[in-house]
Amino acid sequence: MKKAKYLAVFLALLAALAAAGCAGGGGDTAAPEGVYYSVAVTGGAGAGKYREGAVCTASAETPEGKQFLKWIKNGADASVNAEYSFNVREDSRLLAVFGDAVADAGGEAFTVKTPNGIGGGGYAKGSLCTVKDPASDDARVFRGWEADGEIVSLERIYTFPVT
């Protein structure tokens, strides 16, 4: 009898969550009407789908030994604050640019991609970038770091000047 009572309470709670649109897994809850835009963030947090006019706040995730320099939004300088908020009016791509403490924030910026590593993001030309193999997936075998189709290092931690 006790099990049946707990099961009934659980099912009632589950039904209430589903009615509120909080239950996961294929419910028929539709998104509120309106226009939505995608925000992609490289080098930080805040990516997602936003309703037109909503405020998106992106927060830079500065790699160890680097400093945040600026945000680039859709190819143009947007902010020099590590936390950047804006009203979403279009699909947007944000790039957090990092550099060494002596890097010139006014210089060119490049994107370092590390699909299976740590340390990717935007970097000022001439700054040093350090990438690391997270070594968290025992099923993977580390074979080195590659740039332009060439293996450039077999070390799990690799530092190079961004050019």
Side-chain angles (χ1 to χ4, degrees):
M1 186 67 176
K2 229 179 194 182
K3 286 184 182 180
K5 183 177 178 181
Y6 287 123
L7 180 59
V9 170
F10 174 76
L11 291 174
L13 179 60
L14 188 59
L17 287 173
C22 297
D28 283 344
T29 57
E33 287 187 35
V35 176
Y36 286 80
Y37 294 105
S38 293
V39 175
V41 178
T42 301
K49 288 223 178 256
Y50 291 84
R51 191 174 192 163
E52 184 175 33
V55 175
C56 170
T57 299
S59 300
E61 295 173 351
T62 307
E64 184 179 327
K66 301 298 173 192
Q67 69 174 359
F68 173 80
L69 297 177
K70 63 184 173 181
W71 284 105
I72 297 175
K73 178 182 170 197
N74 295 338
D77 289 352
S79 177
V80 294
N81 298 318
E83 189 170 285
Y84 169 53
S85 296
F86 64 98
N87 289 77
V88 178
R89 304 264 181 237
E90 63 184 344
D91 288 335
S92 300
R93 297 186 62 77
L94 295 174
L95 172 68
V97 178
F98 306 102
D100 295 329
V102 297
D104 176 11
E108 291 180 82
F110 296 93
T111 302
V112 175
K113 295 182 180 178
T114 56
N116 296 313
I118 299 169
Y123 287 85
K125 183 177 183 177
S127 66
L128 293 176
C129 174
T130 299
V131 292
K132 299 176 185 178
D133 173 37
S136 61
D137 185 356
D138 294 334
R140 285 190 316 121
V141 175
F142 180 77
R143 293 196 171 97
W145 295 103
E146 181 181 300
D148 299 322
E150 303 275 330
I151 298 291
V152 293
S153 175
L154 298 174
E155 300 296 320
R156 289 187 178 273
I157 299 174
Y158 173 55
T159 301
F160 59 94
V162 176
T163 56

